[in-house]
Amino acid sequence: MILELVDILIQPGKQAEFDQAIQHGIQTYIAPSKGFIGYRINKCIETPERYVLMNYWETLENHTVDFRGSPAFTQWRGVVGPFFARPPIVEHFTIFATKNA
C-alpha cells in the first residue's frame, strides 16, 4: 500500500466551499480509480487554509500512471484547482508501521 500525502493551501475565506469541493472531487473522480483504497482529509487548526489529504493506493503506479494519466485527474483538478493558493505539494510514502488512533 502507498500513501499519497498532499499538502494543500487554499485561498483565505474559501474553506466552506473547498470542504464541499474536495469531498465531491474525491468521491466522483478519485474513488472510482484503479487501485484506490481510501482517503483521509485533515484540516489544520492553526492555519485554517491548510489541508492535508491522505490518499491510499494499492501501488505507486495506480496513482502516478493510472490516475494521473486519466481524464479523471483533469476533472479532479478542475474541481479543486480554483481554490489553490499555491500548487499542492505531493509526496508518496510506503507504510512503515501503523496503530489505529
Side-chain angles (χ1 to χ4, degrees):
M1 179 171 28
I2 298 297
L3 166 64
E4 170 203 1
L5 189 68
V6 186
D7 189 343
I8 301 169
L9 187 65
I10 66 165
Q11 300 164 26
K14 301 285 187 175
Q15 293 89 338
E17 293 172 73
F18 184 70
D19 289 353
Q20 292 180 344
I22 192 171
Q23 290 180 80
H24 167 73
I26 290 169
Q27 293 166 2
T28 306
Y29 303 111
I30 298 177
S33 298
K34 177 182 175 184
F36 183 75
I37 297 171
Y39 70 96
R40 176 175 284 168
I41 304 169
N42 304 279
K43 294 172 68 169
C44 186
I45 295 168
E46 292 81 9
T47 308
E49 298 84 16
R50 186 173 177 213
Y51 292 71
V52 174
L53 171 60
M54 302 165 63
N55 287 327
Y56 297 91
W57 298 90
E58 290 179 16
T59 69
L60 179 62
E61 292 75 19
N62 287 149
H63 176 239
T64 60
V65 176
D66 299 328
F67 176 65
R68 282 201 173 174
S70 74
F73 177 71
T74 304
Q75 293 167 316
W76 152 254
R77 277 303 187 101
V79 170
V80 296
F83 294 94
F84 296 161
R86 61 153 167 79
I89 298 166
V90 180
E91 296 179 303
H92 299 92
F93 298 82
T94 57
I95 309 299
F96 174 69
T98 186
K99 181 180 187 272
N100 291 332

